Amino acid sequence: MEQLRRDCLDPPIHLNGRDLCLSAKFGIAMHPEDGATAAMLLERAESALKRAKAGNEKFLFYREEMTARAAAVLELGNRLRQALELGQFELYYQPKCAVRGHAVVGVEALLRWHCPGQGMVPPAQFVPMLEELGLIAEVGDWVLRQAARDYQRWRSAGLPAPRIAVNVSPLQLQRPDFVQSLVEALAMNPQDAGIDIEIVESRLMRDIDSGVVTLREVRALGIGIALDDFGTGYSSLAYLAQLPVQTLKIDQSFVSRMLDEKEAMTLVEMIISLAHSMGLETVAEGVETEQQAQILEELGCDALQGYWLSRPMPADALAARLVGGTALAGLSAGP
Ligand code: C2E
Ligand code: MG
Ligand code: MG
């Protein structure tokens, strides 16, 4: 197979004086063990191809568990397609607090799916599927609108509503109508929509050039931009300087390891000093202990987010806490 690939695909194709190089991945099903009909063989070869595309393999032979996985994925996809219509999504909110005094400086909106029969499904289990199914734009729009509605509701109730940061998938950002959909979602109060966005650093970097252009348009709307899970990607400093971002969110893997591993501590220190030297703010993610909070304060981190201060909670639970003022200290209760 490797030989065939090399013979057929490695030599460049000469076209109009240029050399074009092809790349290809293969899914392979064998007759008769994988299927008796052409349709069955094709279907199984496609299952193998899908797995090859998702991983690093150039080619994969069909195995039985691929069909089982494909059936589970199909079933999950069907449920997700209906979830929006059936009102099964909900936004939870997690406060971000100033490192000193713990005043709430913002909240992050985190998507939850109440899947019948499965309970509450965390986003890591279904956001990648929304992306794969092409549903992320529609659901992402709902998230933006719901966050804007909640913000306005808190304001109308006279609460000190904190700005809401919404996670945006890079696939949403790549859509030509993304900025327009943002404008529409925030139209109910364009002067004070109270919405910011977060984008995972490593994923933004994969398509940075068009990302920068869109992010500049987003910023021009008065929306703040944070780079999420910062430190896990490989941002070049040159790109970072070009990005219209205001905040770096230090990835929780560094925060959780920094007290035990010198390298993690050094990274956290470096991210904070890099951010400050570029005029950016830092938020530490996944702060679970007082000790971590103290060290982060000593290192000059600007804000903290994590279970030590508060777990993510439904909109009404957050509103009830806002009634009591905007400082949270060691409030780790919540769903
Ligand atoms: P993220 O944006 O980095 O969000 C922080 C995640 O860390 C959340 O997980 C939060 O519940 C969790 N977390 C907060 N504090 C702590 C802590 O002290 N310890 C630990 N171990 N975890 C903590 P969650 O809600 O499961 O979300 C996971 C990821 O899913 C998010 O990571 C974000 O990338 C993505 N996501 C969530 N909502 C949306 C959405 O509406 N749209 C998109 N595109 N992605 C979303
Ligand atoms: Mg986030
Ligand atoms: Mg994060």
Side-chain angles (χ1 to χ4, degrees):
M1 188 65 210
E2 190 55 35
Q3 183 65 44
L4 180 72
R5 200 185 62 78
R6 246 183 271 136
D7 291 349
C8 297
L9 294 170
D10 279 1
I13 298 168
H14 304 287
L15 192 71
N16 295 339
R18 286 177 167 203
D19 282 349
L20 297 178
C21 294
L22 289 182
S23 75
K25 295 219 171 190
F26 299 87
I28 307 154
M30 308 285 277
H31 181 270
E33 52 275 38
D34 294 334
T37 63
M40 176 77 81
L41 285 169
L42 204 58
E43 195 185 304
R44 296 192 157 176
E46 269 172 10
S47 294
L49 176 60
K50 225 172 179 181
R51 286 293 283 273
K53 277 187 189 166
N56 280 329
E57 288 90 351
K58 293 226 161 24
F59 58 89
L60 273 183
F61 286 89
Y62 170 79
R63 291 188 312 269
E64 224 166 79
E65 73 259 20
M66 290 175 182
T67 322
R69 188 186 173 273
V73 167
L74 205 69
E75 157 76 7
L76 185 64
N78 286 339
R79 283 165 170 244
L80 271 175
R81 279 197 185 87
Q82 298 173 346
L84 201 53
E85 218 173 287
L86 298 175
Q88 293 170 353
F89 288 121
E90 183 181 0
L91 288 186
Y92 271 42
Y93 292 97
Q94 184 179 36
K96 291 182 268 185
C97 300
V99 80
R100 286 202 188 94
H102 302 146
V104 177
V105 292
V107 291
E108 177 171 12
L110 295 160
L111 187 58
R112 299 289 180 259
W113 177 26
H114 299 280
C115 177
Q118 279 189 45
M120 197 160 71
V121 186
Q125 282 176 32
F126 66 89
V127 168
M129 181 64 91
L130 289 174
E131 294 181 334
E132 199 176 320
L133 293 169
L135 296 172
I136 193 67
E138 209 183 326
V139 176
D141 255 8
W142 179 85
V143 171
L144 281 164
R145 282 166 205 263
Q146 186 58 40
R149 274 195 293 269
D150 285 338
Y151 180 78
Q152 293 310 327
R153 206 156 44 86
W154 297 332
R155 301 268 309 188
S156 310
L159 296 172
R163 290 184 73 81
I164 300 176
V166 167
N167 289 286
V168 166
S169 154
L171 297 188
Q172 283 172 270
L173 208 65
Q174 280 164 15
R175 290 171 57 94
D177 60 353
F178 174 68
V179 175
Q180 185 53 33
S181 71
L182 208 52
V183 170
E184 283 166 23
L186 310 186
M188 59 180 107
N189 190 356
Q191 301 313 316
D192 179 22
I195 300 296
D196 297 322
I197 64 169
E198 295 189 1
I199 300 173
V200 172
E201 178 220 7
S202 55
R203 300 191 62 199
L204 177 67
M205 289 302 150
R206 283 185 219 153
D207 188 16
I208 184 69
D209 291 321
S210 65
V212 173
V213 176
T214 313
L215 288 180
R216 290 210 176 114
E217 293 176 50
V218 170
R219 187 67 198 121
L221 296 172
I223 294 171
I225 304 168
L227 285 187
D228 210 343
D229 303 352
F230 191 81
T232 56
Y234 301 93
S235 294
S236 92
L237 291 182
Y239 274 126
L240 199 56
Q242 272 187 50
L243 287 173
V245 298
Q246 292 71 56
T247 307
L248 302 185
K249 295 191 77 179
I250 306 167
D251 188 63
Q252 52 180 275
S253 62
F254 306 126
V255 174
S256 68
R257 290 188 282 126
M258 68 179 190
L259 292 172
D260 307 317
E261 290 176 29
K262 205 165 162 279
E263 294 76 17
M265 178 72 91
T266 307
L267 260 164
V268 172
E269 277 180 81
M270 279 171 57
I271 294 173
I272 294 170
S273 86
L274 170 75
H276 288 168
S277 63
M278 295 177 98
L280 309 177
E281 294 211 327
T282 45
V283 178
E285 301 188 89
V287 179
E288 293 187 350
T289 66
E290 188 169 4
Q291 214 184 346
Q292 289 168 344
Q294 261 168 11
I295 300 275
L296 287 159
E297 182 175 348
E298 281 162 26
L299 295 178
C301 184
D302 301 288
L304 310 175
Q305 183 180 355
Y307 295 168
W308 180 65
L309 285 153
S310 171
R311 285 185 179 253
M313 62 191 114
D316 287 346
L318 180 76
R321 286 206 186 168
L322 292 175
V323 171
T326 55
L328 300 177
L331 294 173
S332 54

